[in-house]
Amino acid sequence: MRRIVAGLALIAWPVFQFLAFLTSPPGAEHDPEIFRTHATAVQVSALFYVWATLSLIPVVLGLAHLLRERAPRASNVGAALGLVGAGHGLTLFTTDFYDLALAQTLPDAQAEEVTRRANELGGFVYGMLLPGFLLHVGLITLLVTLVAVKMAPWWVPVAALAGTIVPFLTMDQAPVVQSTGSLLHLAAYGWIALRVLRMPAAEWAGTRPVRV
């Protein structure tokens, strides 16, 4: 059952991420007027981001499970970083709902000032925002280790890293452009998902040698 959950999560997370980007309102900033105009899209997109991040928890655990015998240290480090990052990511994506509420109840200048002030608070920056990036460090650690132990091809971490970078490089472009990074994630994690879903139960459980 855990193997099936991990395999499905490996597919679900880039799909949810793709839908989150695709439904997000235009613009890189949380502009109050844009949020009011696209209130439904803001909520739908935020929910997809939350579901994508939730899916990452079994993704991290599944990748770590694959490495538990052949690279236990990297498995533990990658899992720890990935889970801490995913936990903080869940808190970050709830802020869209608060920004929307501010846009709907306060004048634009006040709403922008509240958001700006919140984003400058040390607890937010160092306790929530920056730790969220540990997710990417943990995932890349696990993916690179999969390649090192010959359980995945070299292009998997490359595609995953490119998929992570694309949204940051295209922040000022249309949501459909930003969503292309998720397609790279789908290729990388989807490859692993197919292997996991086809994997014999004994191999997943560790009672049978891992195929290379």
Side-chain angles (χ1 to χ4, degrees):
M1 185 61 179
R2 293 179 182 177
R3 178 178 61 84
I4 302 300
V5 171
L8 294 178
L10 283 160
I11 297 174
W13 111 255
V15 170
F16 281 140
Q17 186 192 44
F18 175 79
L19 293 173
F21 279 119
L22 204 60
T23 57
S24 62
E29 303 297 330
H30 289 191
D31 183 89
E33 182 179 354
I34 292 178
F35 266 46
R36 281 195 304 272
T37 304
H38 302 275
T40 300
V42 169
Q43 296 180 72
V44 171
S45 177
L47 285 174
F48 277 133
Y49 277 123
V50 169
W51 295 339
T53 309
L54 279 172
S55 299
L56 278 166
I57 295 174
V59 165
V60 170
L61 292 174
L63 294 177
H65 180 84
L66 291 173
L67 295 167
R68 71 196 185 285
E69 294 181 352
R70 304 185 69 177
R73 184 173 298 177
S75 172
N76 291 334
V77 171
L81 294 175
L83 292 175
V84 169
H88 284 83
L90 284 171
T91 66
L92 293 173
F93 290 122
T94 62
T95 59
D96 283 354
F97 294 101
Y98 290 94
D99 286 342
L100 175 58
L102 289 171
Q104 292 176 332
T105 57
L106 294 177
D108 288 3
Q110 291 183 7
E112 291 176 346
E113 177 61 22
V114 171
T115 299
R116 183 193 66 78
R117 179 62 186 133
N119 290 341
E120 291 177 348
L121 293 174
F124 174 79
V125 175
Y126 300 106
M128 293 172 60
L129 180 62
L130 294 181
F133 286 95
L134 293 176
L135 169 65
H136 305 302
V137 179
L139 287 172
I140 292 300
T141 298
L142 294 169
L143 294 177
V144 169
T145 307
L146 283 174
V147 174
V149 299
K150 301 187 182 336
M151 294 182 67
W154 65 268
W155 61 265
V156 165
V158 174
L161 181 59
T164 300
I165 294 174
V166 165
F168 292 101
L169 297 180
T170 59
M171 289 181 63
D172 296 325
Q173 299 188 39
V176 68
V177 177
Q178 284 190 293
S179 68
T180 56
S182 303
L183 299 180
L184 293 170
H185 279 160
L186 183 59
Y189 292 95
W191 187 94
I192 301 173
L194 292 178
R195 175 164 186 176
V196 168
L197 292 172
R198 294 170 179 169
M199 183 178 291
E203 184 176 327
W204 173 263
T207 58
R208 173 175 166 180
V210 176
R211 295 169 296 173
V212 296

